[in-house]
Amino acid sequence: MNVSEMREDIDHILISEEELQKRVAELGAQISADYAGKCPLLVSVLRGSFIFMADLARQVQPFCQVDFMAVSSYGSGTVSSGQVNIVKDLTDSIEGKDVIVVEDILDSGNTLSYLFQLLKARNPASLKLCALLDKPSRRTKPITADYVGFEVPDKFVVGYGLDYDELYRNLPYIGVLKPRVYEK
């Protein structure tokens, strides 16, 4: 699938590239202020947050560390299975560290609720959540983000790291996917 074919699958652009970059800079400034004099550990939840995490890490001043986890609850579908699997765990211990989990989208909250229980048991100094997108209309678990890029409606969104069936991650904006693509 080429870029023009991907664009044909997008109903409309929800958040432009410019809006994304502006908001990521604002989030980076807020995190920098909140963690002044500290070196927070940003934990990217792969694969969806890798682009957001890279841009965010460049905005956090003066220092931050990064690590990665891969968890899965979707498979190739559009609805969470509710079963969370750790595919890749953290490389280093988080004990005593100020941890910020960086996620692409806070949807049902199932995956992040599970992940936060797991991480809290590892005794970080603090544990917060930074979500690029928040879709509160789909929440089934009582979890909220400490830092939110944008609240989005209950639409299937792709781009800027978010995918459908491992495609569309490389779009530079957040777009709403046409239902014909995922209702096959």
Side-chain angles (χ1 to χ4, degrees), residues 8-162:
E8 289 175 17
D9 292 342
I10 302 301
D11 182 70
H12 64 278
I13 294 174
L14 186 63
I15 305 167
S16 72
E17 183 174 5
E18 295 78 20
E19 291 171 302
L20 285 166
Q21 294 309 312
K22 180 178 185 253
R23 185 64 183 130
V24 171
E26 292 168 352
L27 289 170
Q30 185 179 358
I31 289 168
S32 297
D34 291 351
Y35 289 86
K38 298 181 179 182
C39 182
L41 172 65
L42 306 180
V43 174
S44 175
V45 181
L46 296 173
R47 288 178 237 173
S49 71
F50 80 103
I51 292 173
F52 173 43
M53 166 84 149
D55 287 347
L56 182 65
R58 287 190 289 263
Q59 298 296 325
V60 175
Q61 301 296 323
F63 300 108
C64 67
Q65 296 177 324
V66 298
D67 205 342
F68 302 88
M69 290 188 84
V71 297
S72 175
S73 67
Y74 282 83
S76 63
T78 60
V79 178
S80 175
S81 67
Q83 175 94 19
V84 180
N85 299 309
I86 302 294
V87 179
K88 183 222 175 290
D89 207 339
L90 295 170
T91 304
D92 298 313
S93 170
I94 62 169
E95 187 168 351
K97 294 185 179 181
D98 293 302
V99 177
I100 303 172
V101 174
V102 179
E103 179 63 295
D104 56 353
I105 188 166
L106 175 52
D107 196 327
S108 69
N110 290 332
T111 301
L112 286 168
S113 180
Y114 173 84
L115 186 60
F116 265 60
Q117 285 181 338
L118 177 74
L119 294 176
K120 281 179 185 175
R122 297 179 183 184
N123 300 314
S126 66
L127 182 61
K128 293 196 174 185
L129 173 60
C130 179
L132 174 64
L133 305 178
D134 186 11
K135 196 184 288 186
S137 63
R138 307 251 318 150
R139 196 90 72 250
T140 59
K141 297 284 185 182
I143 188 166
T144 57
D146 302 282
Y147 304 97
V148 175
F150 302 90
E151 188 173 307
V152 294
D154 190 11
K155 303 286 184 190
F156 198 96
V157 292
V158 295
Y160 198 65
L162 290 98

